[in-house]
């Protein structure tokens, strides 16, 4: 009976998807609708596919890394080597990203695998927050973009603030728990069968993680595209001229653009004329942690309940810390 | 049940279509309508991995998350259903007064127009340079390609049009329009979205109290839409 209901639900969902996409495609191509609607659907589709295409390689890399952690990390080995202090554990989690070149699409499933394989929660949370920024690719892109414009202190503060926010959030929100992935299910039921080739087991895990996270990236890309259709991001840029609104505007822009952390430094560079350095710092610190792709992904591993507090904590920390380094004249 | 065995085939098939889409769009150059050309090699990587995962999906049992089919259908339908098309004059119109915002630069990055070679400059280069120091560039000769935009908000004279381009730094999500006013006796001959090559010299005119560059055209010729319609900032 329950399977019957599942089939009906699945069928209705398929029908809705077909109709929704069909309406967009037909309106865009064949209906004699106004030029305005054609333009809006054009922009929607271009931005949706743009975000998705650009996220895919990083999502795939993240799924492969998460699957490798799941398969090869020995929980006992990890538990014996970690310090007792939550602060230190969180700091290790925040710095762990430096060996994984992934963005938010990859750090969140990887964090789930880490926790599932015995890492403490605070390590997983700090890792999920910091890994998109604390990695070699982002270091190269940020220094290439900004070392010559605002100097090295700006580049280093981006990484410093990210680590501080990751550690503080992990310690301040000790009640977060991880919802296990579907992968862990078949892992447990079948154990680690000796007759299976490890390479294929790895790909199976990666596929499962990919299918899981791809759904949230698709939701995020659609939302970001939809908002840009009705609120072109250049309109947000105009809020930037107000000194008080500049920092929140930059954070809002980062959420709306939902671009990958590995490339956002170059986008921030194109905003140098519109935003103050400190607003760009907020863009570069907040954007990789919170955007339309990452929010549903965080909800997938933490559940929806703690998400508002989680987002608010990170937003407040970003504003306060950016305000502090601006007040002390460090950037 | 039948469904249980069919679902992996559907998902595998959809993953395969996405992989094929990545290969074809990149190989034909259409990927440039979505992302910065710098990332094209990553599309081949993604296509190859997705292709491998599609095979895994069909041949091995894996737990499939709820609604995977429906979500995968969205990029497949939108990616296949609509021929890739560059954003044009209508999309520029939606930006309103935010046009050229993307080319604002702090005053420190000023160029020295007497030493810089401006012959190969595109619309974006000119807009960036003139936003810093318009007077220094007055009288320079230009040769620029772009599409024609004309809408009521732009306060254009009858013998003027806007020559515009889109600029993207990473993907279409961060694209912004740039444009310059062009003065040409036969402006009305070119409708919106017509691609043209403009040759002329830079002059300045007053738009709502701000000195703006104006290209006094000596020739305007229609051209084909370029293969890479979006500009990318030079590093």
């Amino acid at each position: 009976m329950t399977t019957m209901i599942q089939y009906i639900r699945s069928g209705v969902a398929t029908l809705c998807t077909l109709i929704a996409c069909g309406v967009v495609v037909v309106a865009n191509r064949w209906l004699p609708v106004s030029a305005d609607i054609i333009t809006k659907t054009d922009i929607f589709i271009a931005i949706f596919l743009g975000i998705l295409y650009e996220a895919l390689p990083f999502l795939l890399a993240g799924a492969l890394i998460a699957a490798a952690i799941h398969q090869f990390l020995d929980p006992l080995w990890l538990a014996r080597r970690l310090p007792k202090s939550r602060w230190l554990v969180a700091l290790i989690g925040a710095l762990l990203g430096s060996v994984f070149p992934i963005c938010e699409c990859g750090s969140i499933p990887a964090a789930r695998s880490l926790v599932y394989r015995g890492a403490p929660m605070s390590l997983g949370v700090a890792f999920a927050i910091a890994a998109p920024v604390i990695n070699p690719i982002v270091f190269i892109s940020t220094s290439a973009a900004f070392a010559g414009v605002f100097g090295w202190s700006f580049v280093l503060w981006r990484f410093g603030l990210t680590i501080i926010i990751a550690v503080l959030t992990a310690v301040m929100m000790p009640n977060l728990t991880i919802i296990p992935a579907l992968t862990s299910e078949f892992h447990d039921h079948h154990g680690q069968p000796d007759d299976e080739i490890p390479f294929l087991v790895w790909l199976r895990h990666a596929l499962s993680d990919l299918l899981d996270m791809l759904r949230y990236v698709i939701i995020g890309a659609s939302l970001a595209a939809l908002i840009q259709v009705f609120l072109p991001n250049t309109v947000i840029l105009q809020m930037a001229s107000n000194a008080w609104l500049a920092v929140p505007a930059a954070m809002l822009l980062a959420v709306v653009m939902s671009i990958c952390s590995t490339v956002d430094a170059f986008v921030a560079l194109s905003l140098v004329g519109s935003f103050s350095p400190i607003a760009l710092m907020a863009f570069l610190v907040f954007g990789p942690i919170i955007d339309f792709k990452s929010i549903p992904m965080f909800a997938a591993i933490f559940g929806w309940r703690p998400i508002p507090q989680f987002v608010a904590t990170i937003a407040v920390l970003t504003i306060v810390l950016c305000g502090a380094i601006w007040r002390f004249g460090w950037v | 049940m039948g469904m249980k065995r069919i679902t992996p085939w559907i998902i595998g098939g959809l993953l395969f279509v996405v992989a094929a889409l990545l290969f074809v769009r990149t190989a034909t150059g259409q990927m440039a309508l979505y992302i910065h050309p710098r990332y094209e090699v990553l599309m081949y990587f993604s296509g190859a991995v997705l292709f491998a995962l599609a095979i895994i999906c069909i041949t091995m049992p894996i737990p499939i998350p709820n609604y995977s089919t429906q979500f995968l259908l969205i990029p497949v339908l939108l990616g296949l259903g609509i021929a890739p098309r560059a954003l044009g004059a209508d999309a520029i119109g939606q930006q309103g007064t935010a046009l050229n915002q993307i080319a604002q630069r702090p005053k420190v990055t000023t160029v020295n127009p007497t030493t810089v070679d401006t012959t190969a400059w595109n619309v974006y280069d000119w807009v960036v340079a003139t936003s810093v120091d318009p007077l220094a560039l007055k009288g320079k000769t230009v040769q620029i390609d772009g599409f024609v935009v004309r809408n009521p908000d732009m306060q254009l004279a009858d013998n003027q049009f806007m020559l515009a381009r889109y600029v993207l730094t990473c993907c279409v999500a961060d694209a912004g329009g740039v444009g310059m006013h062009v003065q040409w006796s036969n402006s009305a001959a070119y409708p919106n979205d017509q691609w043209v090559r403009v040759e002329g010299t830079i002059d300045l005119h007053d738009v709502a109290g701000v000195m703006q560059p104006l290209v006094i055209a000596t020739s305007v010729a229609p051209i084909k839409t370029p293969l890479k319609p979006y500009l990318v900032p030079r590093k």
Side-chain angles (χ1 to χ4, degrees), chain A residues 83-127:
Chain A
K84 290 277 173 290
S85 155
R86 263 210 324 232
W87 292 85
L88 273 179
V89 169
L91 184 63
I92 291 171
L95 295 174
L96 205 54
S98 50
V99 293
F100 298 115
I102 48 181
C103 67
E104 64 270 30
C105 301
S107 75
I108 297 172
R112 177 170 64 184
S113 288
L114 279 172
V115 173
Y116 186 75
R117 299 306 279 168
M121 198 57 209
S122 54
L123 184 140
V125 173
F127 176 82

Side-chain angles (χ1 to χ4, degrees), chain B residues 102-117:
Chain B
I102 194 165
Q104 298 300 311
R105 282 289 176 280
K107 299 290 179 206
V108 289
T109 58
T110 183
V111 290
N112 184 348
T114 50
T115 55
V116 168
D117 178 19

Side-chain angles (χ1 to χ4, degrees), chain A residues 94-171:
Chain A
L95 295 174
L96 205 54
S98 50
V99 293
F100 298 115
I102 48 181
C103 67
E104 64 270 30
C105 301
S107 75
I108 297 172
R112 177 170 64 184
S113 288
L114 279 172
V115 173
Y116 186 75
R117 299 306 279 168
M121 198 57 209
S122 54
L123 184 140
V125 173
F127 176 82
I129 292 172
V133 169
I134 309 302
N135 74 57
I137 295 178
V138 179
F139 187 77
I140 292 167
S141 65
T142 309
S143 37
F146 281 105
V149 181
F150 295 145
W152 280 99
S153 67
F154 184 88
V155 176
L156 295 176
W157 271 115
R158 175 184 194 188
F159 298 93
L161 289 190
T162 305
I163 292 171
I164 296 171
I165 290 175
V167 172
L168 286 179
T169 310
V171 174

Side-chain angles (χ1 to χ4, degrees), chain A residues 7 9-10 13-14 17-18 21 24-25 28-29 35-36 38-40 42-54 56-58 60 144 182 186 200 203-204 207-208 210-212 214-215 218-219 228-229 232-234 237-238 257 259 263 266-267 270 272-274, chain B residues 1 3-4 11 15 18 21-22 25 31 34-35 38-39 42-43 45-46 49-50 53 56-57 60-68 70-75 77-79 81-83 85 87 90-91 94-95 97-98 101-102 104-106 169-175 235:
Chain A
Y7 290 158
R9 264 197 205 149
S10 170
T14 310
T17 314
L18 287 173
C21 293
V24 173
V25 171
N28 188 277
R29 289 192 85 146
D36 185 50
I38 294 181
T39 308
K40 285 195 156 72
D42 265 355
I43 297 175
F44 173 80
I45 293 165
I47 293 176
F48 170 75
L49 291 176
I51 293 179
L52 193 65
Y53 287 150
E54 194 227 80
L56 261 178
F58 300 99
L60 285 164
L182 278 178
F186 78 91
L200 294 179
L203 285 185
R204 275 169 67 191
L207 173 60
S208 192
L210 171 77
L211 289 176
D212 193 6
L214 192 56
R215 299 177 298 172
I218 289 171
I219 295 175
Q228 284 210 32
V229 166
N233 53 40
T234 35
L237 286 185
Q238 292 175 321
M257 279 189 175
I259 44 171
V263 295
F266 295 109
V267 175
S270 75
V272 160
S274 311
Chain B
M1 292 289 283
M3 267 308 264
K4 272 241 150 35
I11 303 271
L15 289 175
V18 175
L21 203 59
L22 291 176
R25 293 275 190 256
M31 198 48 93
Y34 301 104
I35 59 167
R38 188 197 302 144
Y39 304 111
L42 291 178
M43 295 302 117
F45 159 80
S46 303
V49 176
L50 279 176
L53 293 181
I56 295 281
C57 187
M60 305 183 118
I62 68 142
I64 291 175
N66 292 335
Y67 301 113
S68 288
Q70 290 79 4
F71 278 110
L72 270 173
L73 267 174
I74 299 172
L77 290 175
L78 296 184
I82 288 174
R85 185 162 49 190
L87 299 180
D90 286 325
Q94 307 244 335
Q95 294 208 327
T97 52
Q101 187 89 38
I102 194 165
Q104 298 300 311
R105 282 289 176 280
T169 314
C170 122
C171 73
V172 198
D174 65 66
K235 180 62 195 104

Side-chain angles (χ1 to χ4, degrees), chain A residues 174-203:
Chain A
N175 295 328
L176 288 173
T177 49
I178 291 253
I179 302 169
L182 278 178
T183 344
S184 47
E185 245 171 68
F186 78 91
H187 208 278
D188 292 345
H189 288 315
H190 304 281
Q192 185 77 43
D194 294 320
D195 55 331
E196 278 202 328
I197 306 161
F199 178 69
L200 294 179
V201 177
W202 176 54
L203 285 185

